[in-house]
Amino acid sequence: MTEPLLSVEDLYIRFKTYAGTVHAVNGMSFHIHPGEIFGLVGESGCGKSVTGLAVLGMVPYPGEVIAGRILFHGENLLQKNRREMEQIRGGRIAMIFQDPSASLNPVFTVGSQISRIIRHHRRVDRHEARALALAGFEAVGLPDPARIFRAYPHELSGGMQQRVMIAMALASGAELLIADEPTTALDVTIQAQILALLNDLRAAQGVSILLITHDLGVVAETCDRVGVAYAGSIVETGPTAQVLYQMKHPYTRGLLEALPRPSHRGKALQSIPGSVPSGLDLPSGCPFWPRCPEVMDICREQKPLPTRLDEVGHRVACHLYSREGQR
Ligand code: SF4
């Protein structure tokens, strides 16, 4: 197996607020190989988006990374200075968000925005930047690239704006694309097209993708591997087929049982009892124990460590599978 392109190792992020310290990320660990699409999935508040921001050195104030490592090509990004991170951000690692219109400046044409980004990260003149931009628009399937180049953001549909954002990310030569709920604001048909595009770009350009989503359907369609996050750490990870069809963690099972399916027609949807714990007041031991139908005494006292279940890298952090839980 190749070396990972990105490894997030035992990451902790907290926010000091007037209400107290919010423990947003609590030992998050995962890795992404070159050319792989990794899905980071979980309910809102599980720490997935702030982890994506941490990779780019963009944790918003008053948040701070207090422990862990983020290795990109083996170098710890948390030790880079501001200037070095500016070069990496938007250059080797790029991010796209749920609402592309919020990321595009409404008063400049799309062409001038993408040209500026390309020239910031590559040593090219205005004409070369334009040519790269047009090639980028073509690569993401935008019709009539010259017209798109001259257009203002409001003249494009949501789906086209998201394609522009992906073109911007890749035109600067990004090796890793962090996509945070990239299709949530789009209608179902356009959503499928954008996911297919991400898949094509991975195949054609070898770009790796960290896909942050709450949607297990999106994961099933797009991701090679997945990590299920709960209360700021990964509770189950592995190849997508293993995690979604041979799930072991009670939380993963609960998420899957909550999905609407044709076979459930006419029946009430299952939901996981209780709610996601607040980062202000996390339970001791396993953070899922107040909601878990299989809770044991040890779960309230000890946080389970990941246990490897097989040779393909399926891991679960649950005392039902840990040595401590078997005693
Ligand atoms: Fe449930 Fe215990 Fe496993 Fe946590 S460790 S998911 S509480 S069985």
Side-chain angles (χ1 to χ4, degrees):
M1 197 64 172
T2 49
E3 284 298 303
L5 177 70
L6 178 81
S7 296
V8 173
E9 297 181 352
D10 215 14
L11 187 71
Y12 285 77
I13 301 174
R14 71 178 175 198
F15 289 77
K16 283 200 163 170
T17 70
Y18 288 117
T21 301
V22 178
H23 298 275
V25 175
N26 302 295
M28 184 78 80
S29 296
F30 61 88
H31 60 273
I32 306 177
H33 290 285
E36 184 175 59
I37 303 184
F38 180 82
L40 186 54
V41 67
E43 295 166 279
S44 57
C46 72
K48 57 192 192 304
S49 291
V50 73
T51 298
L53 291 171
V55 174
L56 287 168
M58 285 170 48
V59 174
Y61 180 84
E64 57 178 337
V65 174
I66 53 168
R69 300 198 302 171
I70 299 176
L71 302 177
F72 181 63
H73 282 293
E75 290 184 33
N76 189 358
L77 296 181
L78 297 176
Q79 291 177 342
K80 300 276 178 202
N81 63 32
R82 201 169 148 178
R83 218 181 129 84
E84 289 170 326
M85 276 315 290
E86 268 171 17
Q87 276 310 311
I88 290 172
R89 193 164 43 233
R92 298 169 71 193
I93 308 177
M95 189 158 185
I96 57 169
F97 297 92
Q98 179 175 336
D99 181 5
S101 65
S103 306
L104 290 164
N105 190 325
V107 300
F108 294 105
T109 62
V110 162
S112 72
Q113 295 182 61
I114 190 170
S115 297
R116 201 164 50 234
I117 289 174
I118 292 171
R119 294 188 69 192
H120 181 74
H121 291 286
R122 293 182 166 196
R123 289 186 182 176
V124 293
D125 64 24
R126 209 158 49 87
H127 299 292
E128 288 167 315
R130 183 174 189 278
L132 284 167
L134 295 181
F137 290 159
E138 202 162 336
V140 298
L142 281 166
D144 196 353
R147 183 184 69 79
I148 303 287
F149 192 89
R150 292 190 302 272
Y152 286 89
H154 74 270
E155 296 175 302
L156 306 177
S157 67
M160 289 170 109
Q161 289 177 355
Q162 197 58 292
R163 283 176 194 265
V164 166
M165 292 309 301
I166 295 169
M168 278 190 184
L170 299 178
S172 312
E175 298 164 77
L176 173 66
L177 180 65
I178 301 175
D180 189 356
E181 304 279 7
T183 58
T184 306
L186 305 173
D187 72 42
V188 178
T189 321
I190 308 296
Q191 180 173 345
Q193 290 172 7
I194 295 290
L195 293 177
L197 170 63
L198 292 177
N199 228 331
D200 290 350
L201 290 170
R202 175 270 293 275
Q205 303 192 14
V207 65
S208 305
I209 299 173
L210 169 57
L211 184 60
I212 296 171
T213 180
H214 68 281
D215 188 335
L216 284 168
V218 165
V219 168
E221 267 176 53
T222 319
C223 299
D224 302 305
R225 288 188 308 115
V226 58
V228 179
Y230 188 79
S233 65
I234 299 279
V235 296
E236 183 159 10
T237 189
T240 302
Q242 253 74 15
V243 174
L244 297 193
Y245 302 115
Q246 295 175 35
M247 80 299 288
K248 295 287 187 264
H249 198 283
Y251 177 61
T252 315
R253 202 172 311 130
L255 282 180
L256 284 156
E257 282 169 1
L259 286 179
R261 294 167 210 236
S263 57
H264 289 174
R265 188 170 295 167
K267 296 181 198 162
L269 275 181
Q270 301 285 319
S271 65
I272 304 173
S275 53
V276 178
S278 159
L280 274 169
D281 187 22
L282 287 174
S284 59
C286 170
F288 189 59
W289 77 254
R291 306 173 75 187
C292 182
E294 300 184 62
V295 59
M296 305 176 282
D297 287 344
I298 188 176
C299 307
R300 298 184 178 88
E301 291 151 21
Q302 281 185 37
K303 185 172 179 179
L305 295 171
T307 302
R308 186 171 179 149
L309 300 172
D310 59 25
E311 289 311 304
V312 292
H314 189 182
R315 289 170 195 264
V316 63
C318 172
H319 284 307
L320 292 170
Y321 306 92
S322 75
R323 215 178 287 159
E324 294 77 11
Q326 306 305 310
R327 281 185 193 140

